[in-house]
Amino acid sequence: MMSGDELNPAAVPQPVEDVQGDGRWMSQHTRFVQECKDAEPDVLFVGDSMIQLMQQYDVWRDLFSPLHALNFGIGGDTTCNVLWRLQNGELENIRPKVVVLWVGTNNHTHTAEQVAGGILAIAQLLTSRLPKAKIIVLGLMPRGERPNPLREKNAAVNGYLRSSLPRLIQAQFLDVSGDFVHSDGTIVPQDMFDFLHLTPTGYRTIAKPLSDLLLQILEETPEERRASLV
């Protein structure tokens, strides 16, 4: 299993190339860096569109915003892009108690093992920069209306994470993908409107286990936390 070594292209930090010419990606990153100067989040959400779109729906307002959460999601981001952002100012001045990481489904040029290694490299960066924080790594979701290679790849990434993440004491893996594939192998548009991104109903499904885990971590006293690390 690769971690963030130089051999893994999914663990090389890089910004998104501004192919469209309006500088939107860098503007979003700059806004996040600015938010770090003003906010004192207890929970930091970071990742791709799965994180970004969460903010558009009631689940964010109802369940996550009250926990003093910041949302640093950018649509289309890969593990490389998130690594770059976190190394370039998005962790400055903030000390969240929990980081929720959800990224990897956009790593189209990388193998499942490389993607898992890239996610692991981000988790390692987070634990070194935020030694007191807990890291929740969300498993990748199934995608496409019917069974397809990308679904198999995302499931394989989750398999690698399940076995390798426990080595990082601060990190834990949360698989929220279980309820989306029906017995006939299909995903329905009521859960994922484009068979990739979640609808409000889809977000409700994943928000419950995530919210329960966040509350559990945030309610732990320092004594309990010390005991659990022994």
Side-chain angles (χ1 to χ4, degrees):
M1 177 69 207
M2 300 187 195
S3 60
D5 53 37
E6 296 311 303
L7 302 172
N8 183 1
V12 176
Q14 57 191 53
V16 167
E17 193 187 339
D18 184 25
V19 284
Q20 291 160 341
D22 59 9
R24 278 186 317 118
W25 187 86
M26 196 56 78
S27 297
Q28 290 174 90
H29 167 64
T30 305
R31 187 184 82 217
F32 296 156
V33 173
Q34 189 56 46
E35 278 183 52
C36 288
K37 293 176 180 156
D38 311 320
E40 292 184 6
D42 284 333
V43 185
L44 174 66
F45 285 74
V46 66
D48 55 29
S49 60
M50 305 303 282
I51 291 285
Q52 185 178 36
L53 291 173
M54 210 181 267
Q55 243 180 328
Q56 311 299 320
Y57 299 124
D58 289 345
V59 287
W60 184 262
R61 196 187 59 223
D62 297 346
L63 295 176
F64 300 126
S65 194
L67 303 179
H68 304 116
L70 275 185
N71 187 310
F72 287 179
I74 300 185
D77 266 17
T78 65
T79 53
C80 306
N81 307 140
V82 169
L83 255 181
W84 189 90
R85 292 200 276 126
L86 294 176
Q87 286 183 359
N88 286 276
E90 291 187 20
L91 294 175
E92 299 295 317
N93 309 309
I94 55 172
R95 291 288 169 270
K97 296 175 179 144
V98 194
V99 181
V100 177
L101 174 65
W102 207 3
V103 70
T105 198
N106 296 316
N107 283 63
H108 299 302
T109 60
H110 304 132
T111 66
E113 191 176 6
Q114 288 171 340
V115 178
I119 295 167
L120 208 60
I122 299 170
Q124 285 165 334
L125 173 72
L126 287 166
T127 56
S128 65
R129 292 281 181 94
L130 302 168
K132 291 193 168 75
K134 291 271 173 81
I135 319 296
I136 299 171
V137 177
L138 291 179
L140 302 188
M141 299 293 277
R143 44 184 298 167
E145 184 180 12
R146 294 189 176 80
N148 65 82
L150 286 179
R151 260 195 219 178
E152 290 167 29
K153 177 180 165 184
N154 284 4
V157 171
N158 291 348
Y160 285 122
L161 290 172
R162 208 175 271 113
S163 61
S164 57
L165 260 180
R167 282 182 236 147
L168 289 177
I169 291 173
Q170 287 165 254
Q172 60 192 106
F173 180 70
L174 180 63
D175 190 350
V176 287
S177 67
D179 294 316
F180 293 94
V181 177
H182 292 251
S183 55
D184 63 356
T186 62
I187 286 172
V188 295
Q190 290 82 350
D191 287 328
M192 295 185 187
F193 58 85
D194 58 355
F195 307 107
L196 172 65
H197 296 100
L198 295 168
T199 61
T201 310
Y203 272 114
R204 283 267 161 218
T205 303
I206 66 116
K208 178 80 175 84
L210 177 56
S211 163
D212 289 349
L213 180 56
L214 283 169
L215 289 170
Q216 183 192 320
I217 293 171
L218 291 168
E219 282 167 7
E220 271 186 17
T221 65
E223 292 72 37
E224 280 175 325
R225 191 166 299 158
R226 268 201 297 279
S228 73
L229 289 175
V230 169

